[in-house]
Amino acid sequence: MDDASLEHTPTWVVAAVCFVIVSVSLAAERFLHYLGKALKHKQQKTLYSALQRLKEELMLLGFISFILSLSQSFIVHICIPETATRFMLPCKRENHKVIEEGGIVCKKKGDVPFLSLEALHQLHIFIFVLGLVHVVFCATTILLGGAKIRRWKHWENGIHRDIQHKFAQLQTDIVGNVTPLHVVLRHNHQGELVSERTRGFWKQLAVVSWIIAFSKQFHDSVGKSDYEALRSAFVLIHYPRHPNFDFHKYMTRALEHDFKRVVGISWYLWLFVIVFLLLNINGWHTYF
């Protein structure tokens, strides 16, 4: 049975397919819309900008899909000599018969299609999977990063309580030229950090230290001493007159700013994909 055209397809089939596609598309669009309103309501300007960039990437992927669908009938009718398709293959070629319309037209000329309809369809899927994986990776990064940073909040609150307690002591006992900075900021955080990281004989071995550092990224990568040392050094350098600076809030804004920069698929990433596709030759193992 030959493939039926749209005019010979039952209307309920066409309507059902269109209903599903439109419903999924509208649901995704409404979800992004309400997510943007929620970010604006919470004054998350950086994350809102990242969401806008995400919409731009989705629009770009949709435009690529439109171009591929519009030009596929033209591409499959481009014929090239068969000898041009015998080198730079990603996999070993198996004997198969081409039954597509473009392949039949080119076969009459003694040539082969520039790109078969099946290969064009697979390329279409590859580009969408590439964009989808990138979006999921970015979302996972911001969710895991935000979850880890939220765990540091109680450390920041504890430091602020310690600062308030020492300020209260200053009100009752002021000594000479002692400033709030010297009282509330302890200078031994770096020493505590180094002593914890180098305690024990095995940690002094480079290979063991590398293995421990690699393993810690999956659990407790930043301890309380790490956070206190980073905060102490940052405040001493950048805000020496404000020891009660909210370092946790600053780290949250920094994460949002970084996410805004990495959420988009840059032009050089697309260029890298094209170069990878070009050099993905059988036996070269370029995926390593």
Side-chain angles (χ1 to χ4, degrees):
M1 179 178 178
D2 296 335
D3 293 338
S5 61
L6 187 63
E7 60 184 1
H8 296 115
T9 302
T11 56
W12 68 269
V13 175
V14 178
V17 172
C18 290
F19 174 78
V20 172
I21 294 176
V22 172
S23 299
V24 173
S25 301
L26 288 177
E29 191 275 333
R30 287 291 91 187
F31 170 76
L32 294 177
H33 174 72
Y34 287 117
L35 179 60
K37 290 183 65 176
L39 293 176
K40 290 182 67 176
H41 179 71
K42 295 182 179 180
Q43 296 183 350
Q44 300 286 346
K45 297 181 180 180
T46 307
L47 289 181
Y48 180 76
S49 299
L51 179 64
Q52 295 302 115
R53 291 196 61 183
L54 177 61
K55 290 182 179 180
E56 293 175 2
E57 297 301 329
L58 294 177
M59 183 179 67
L60 176 61
L61 291 175
F63 187 73
I64 292 175
S65 173
F66 173 73
I67 293 297
L68 287 175
S69 300
L70 193 64
S71 60
Q72 69 177 13
S73 60
F74 171 74
I75 294 176
V76 297
H77 285 86
I78 299 177
C79 302
I80 60 175
E82 185 177 1
T83 55
T85 63
R86 294 178 181 176
F87 60 94
M88 298 183 69
L89 294 174
C91 300
K92 292 182 179 179
R93 171 174 292 176
E94 299 179 359
N95 295 327
H96 64 282
K97 295 181 179 180
V98 179
I99 58 175
E100 300 170 0
E101 180 183 355
I104 295 175
V105 172
C106 293
K107 189 175 182 180
K108 293 179 180 180
K109 301 178 181 179
D111 296 330
V112 294
F114 182 73
L115 190 66
S116 67
L117 190 61
E118 180 182 2
L120 190 63
H121 178 64
Q122 293 173 350
L123 179 62
H124 198 165
I125 295 176
F126 171 77
I127 292 175
F128 262 92
V129 170
L130 176 67
L132 179 63
V133 169
H134 181 76
V135 170
V136 171
F137 176 78
C138 291
T140 304
T141 300
I142 191 65
L143 291 176
L144 295 180
K148 183 171 288 292
I149 289 181
R150 280 193 294 272
R151 294 175 55 190
W152 305 343
K153 182 63 177 178
H154 67 281
W155 296 340
E156 185 72 24
N157 293 336
I159 294 174
H160 285 188
R161 287 193 296 268
D162 188 30
I163 291 175
Q164 293 175 0
H165 176 69
K166 291 183 177 180
F167 269 135
Q169 290 181 346
L170 276 176
Q171 300 299 326
T172 58
D173 185 16
I174 301 178
V175 182
N177 295 326
V178 176
T179 63
L181 175 65
H182 296 139
V183 174
V184 298
L185 289 181
R186 296 185 301 169
H187 294 270
N188 61 340
H189 289 315
Q190 286 82 3
E192 293 176 1
L193 175 64
V194 173
S195 63
E196 285 190 8
R197 291 294 179 268
T198 58
R199 187 180 304 162
F201 171 76
W202 291 105
K203 289 187 177 181
Q204 297 179 6
L205 300 178
V207 177
V208 176
S209 299
W210 295 339
I211 296 176
I212 293 175
F214 178 79
S215 302
K216 281 182 69 65
Q217 67 176 317
F218 303 106
H219 175 70
D220 195 24
S221 58
V222 178
K224 185 176 181 180
S225 60
D226 303 322
Y227 183 82
E228 290 179 344
L230 290 172
R231 185 189 186 280
S232 176
F234 181 87
V235 174
L236 281 171
I237 295 174
H238 298 283
Y239 298 96
R241 296 184 179 274
H242 300 279
N244 58 346
F245 175 77
D246 193 343
F247 184 67
H248 179 268
K249 186 176 181 180
Y250 170 80
M251 292 296 294
T252 302
R253 291 199 306 266
L255 175 67
E256 294 174 354
H257 183 267
D258 292 342
F259 178 68
K260 177 183 176 182
R261 294 180 62 89
V262 303
V263 68
I265 305 179
S266 306
W267 64 268
Y268 44 83
L269 180 58
W270 284 111
L271 180 61
F272 172 80
V273 171
I274 295 173
V275 173
F276 173 77
L277 291 174
L278 176 65
L279 300 180
N280 186 28
I281 301 174
N282 182 36
W284 285 25
H285 306 292
T286 53
Y287 44 83
F288 287 116

